[in-house]
Amino acid sequence: GAVVSQHPSWVICKSGTSVKIECRSLDFQATTMFWYRQFPKQSLMLMATSNEGSKATYEQGVEKDKFLINHASLTLSTLTVTSAHPEDSSFYICSAGRGPDTQYFGPGTRLTVL
Amino acid sequence: QQQVKQSPQSLIVQKGGISIINCAYENTAFDYFPWYQQFPGKGPALLIAIRPDVSEKKEGRFTISFNKSAKQFSLHIMDSQPGDSATYFCAASGGGGYQKVTFGTGTKLQVIP
């Protein structure tokens, strides 16, 4: 149990286009989901906390208008990178909360912006 | 401000040996300390976790030791295997209710045959 999926697993896009990444909790309902960004050989950096039915809470320094988050249901949250640029290239990982503390992570999405 | 410090940055252990990774935290509000294992190109997977009311927790070959007064905790991997080669992150969160997880900087473990 506690499986979190992400789609797509990798994406290559041209600079200026928008990319949507889906995060799904497959076998449990998650009122809270989290989005992280990870650069090579670095730790995970929390971008935002997504709560079902309400606006996401963004970490300091994360552009809300660039990284649009929607948590439309208890099993789905989406991250849209708008007008992507090469510096947005990274590994994006979501997690879903289950129980009082535990987060289960998705497999990640590799974004490359040309 | 780095709230969870992790060391070493990298570690090479021979097969069958003990791998030890250390973490220290500053925020006394933290009350949940998970360890995650991450393979290249994959998301982190929860390995084992501990709460501060317990000094040690063991699951198979993995043991967490926790020192509340020193605000330190460590992961011990007994009988390390090449399949354990991965990056390990300690983490901390506080207060319950899906609190934000603060990650350590990671330790890249390589277990050599």
Side-chain angles (χ1 to χ4, degrees), chain B:
Chain B
Q1 180 182 3
Q2 178 65 38
Q3 291 187 310
V4 182
K5 297 181 179 179
Q6 184 172 347
S7 63
Q9 187 174 8
S10 63
L11 182 62
I12 299 175
V13 174
Q14 283 208 312
K15 179 182 176 181
I18 302 173
S19 303
I20 301 174
I21 304 170
N22 300 299
C23 285
Y25 63 99
E26 300 168 4
N27 188 346
T28 55
F30 288 147
D31 62 1
Y32 183 70
F33 301 88
W35 284 87
Y36 290 91
Q37 178 188 56
Q38 185 179 30
F39 292 103
K42 304 295 183 182
L46 178 65
L47 197 60
I48 187 172
I50 197 169
R51 297 189 185 279
D53 55 345
V54 177
S55 61
E56 185 176 282
K57 183 174 182 180
K58 183 177 181 180
E59 290 184 2
R61 296 184 294 110
F62 301 93
T63 300
I64 300 179
S65 296
F66 190 87
N67 186 329
K68 186 176 181 179
S69 60
K71 292 188 285 186
Q72 295 175 347
F73 58 111
S74 61
L75 175 69
H76 295 231
I77 306 175
M78 312 299 287
D79 187 25
S80 299
Q81 298 296 313
D84 297 330
S85 298
T87 298
Y88 292 81
F89 293 96
C90 63
S93 64
Y98 310 138
Q99 294 299 307
K100 293 188 296 185
V101 175
T102 300
F103 283 88
T105 49
T107 297
K108 185 174 182 179
L109 171 65
Q110 184 181 359
V111 181
I112 55 176

